[in-house]
Amino acid sequence: NAGVTQTPKFQVLKTGQSMTLQCAQDMNHNSMYWYRQDPGMGLRLIYYSASEGTTDKGEVPNGYNVSRLNKREFSLRLESAAPSQTSVYFCASSAIRDVLNYGYTFGSGTRLTVV
Amino acid sequence: LAKTTQPISMDSYEGQEVNITCSHNNIATNDYITWYQQFPSQGPRFIIQGYKTKVTNEVASLFIPADRKSSTLSLPRVSLSDTAVYYCLVALSGAGSYQLTFGKGTKLSVIP
């Protein structure tokens, strides 16, 4: 049981390049989330998907787009990367009914550097 | 979402009980109190969640007074492996998804 899988684990981009961060969960969860974490800071919500077919903006959505491809997969795209997007990106998922007992399940993160 | 305030850092010796207190003065009636643990280079991990009084699981206990304006996470007999950042969150549980807002957390350092 893998839980939440993120790819890639590390990535270096040049300013202006684009890329897609992939996330997949195998727990049949309805909701999925993308967070970013900057050094010494907490996590900030970028986008979330309450259920398959829906996406909504979080606290810091500018410069990002998301796609809920199916129930398992939720991708995050940077169209034109900027140095300010250097961060660690975490994907998470949750089951609505179980969220009180088990909370969110997080992936291990993608460390992105934009030069 | 209610804002939370918790200490930036704490130190403890191995084998001691550690209590981390979080204040959430503007908590709403439907809000739950949730704690997460994050090790370096890993995503946060759910520890415990409660609404009122006391909740205990195999990892920790959560104490919530009657007014619910604060909560205390208690870690019994900590070991070096408990060194991590601990986040206190207040989250509305509803019919749909709910968003978690993470502050800076409390960095716990366990000393041998």
Side-chain angles (χ1 to χ4, degrees):
Chain A
N1 192 350
V4 177
T5 303
Q6 292 184 234
T7 55
K9 294 190 182 303
F10 301 93
Q11 184 70 49
V12 178
L13 289 179
K14 293 182 178 180
T15 298
Q17 286 185 321
S18 62
M19 79 160 295
T20 300
L21 280 63
Q22 306 289 349
C23 176
Q25 52 91 9
D26 61 2
M27 297 169 287
N28 201 35
H29 284 172
N30 292 310
S31 304
M32 299 185 72
Y33 315 82
W34 276 105
Y35 285 86
R36 63 175 287 176
Q37 185 172 34
D38 300 315
M41 304 290 289
L43 286 79
R44 291 184 292 172
L45 182 65
I46 304 171
Y47 271 93
Y48 67 100
S49 171
S51 60
E52 186 178 356
T54 69
T55 60
D56 287 285
K57 296 178 180 179
E59 182 185 357
V60 288
N62 292 342
Y64 305 95
N65 286 302
V66 290
S67 295
R68 183 74 183 267
L69 304 172
N70 48 54
K71 191 171 186 179
R72 289 187 64 248
E73 299 173 287
F74 188 38
S75 63
L76 178 71
R77 183 163 177 82
L78 287 71
E79 291 292 349
S80 179
S84 61
Q85 295 179 304
T86 294
S87 189
V88 180
Y89 291 85
F90 290 102
C91 177
S93 68
S94 68
I96 295 173
R97 284 183 301 173
D98 293 340
V99 71
L100 293 180
N101 293 321
Y102 303 106
Y104 284 23
T105 300
F106 281 83
S108 58
T110 294
R111 189 173 298 274
L112 176 67
T113 302
V114 182
V115 297
Chain B
L1 297 172
K3 181 180 177 181
T4 59
T5 302
Q6 54 184 123
I8 296 296
S9 63
M10 294 181 68
D11 294 335
S12 176
Y13 288 101
E14 270 192 298
Q16 289 188 330
E17 178 184 73
V18 170
N19 295 309
I20 305 174
T21 297
C22 177
S23 65
H24 25 79
N25 292 319
N26 59 339
I27 190 169
T29 303
N30 293 334
D31 288 343
Y32 282 74
I33 299 152
T34 306
W35 286 79
Y36 281 74
Q37 174 191 56
Q38 185 179 26
F39 297 114
S41 301
Q42 293 186 25
R45 181 176 76 106
F46 174 85
I47 300 177
I48 198 167
Q49 182 163 268
Y51 185 80
K52 61 181 179 180
T53 63
K54 176 183 175 182
V55 180
T56 298
N57 62 23
E58 65 278 5
V59 177
S61 294
L62 179 60
F63 299 92
I64 305 168
D67 66 5
R68 305 200 325 122
K69 293 184 182 299
S70 67
S71 60
T72 299
L73 176 73
S74 180
L75 305 172
R77 297 179 298 281
V78 294
S79 65
L80 296 177
S81 62
D82 293 315
T83 293
V85 177
Y86 293 83
Y87 296 97
C88 166
L89 304 98
V90 173
L92 173 66
S93 176
S97 166
Y98 70 101
Q99 303 169 46
L100 293 179
T101 300
F102 289 78
K104 294 183 180 181
T106 297
K107 185 175 183 180
L108 172 65
S109 298
V110 180
I111 307 165

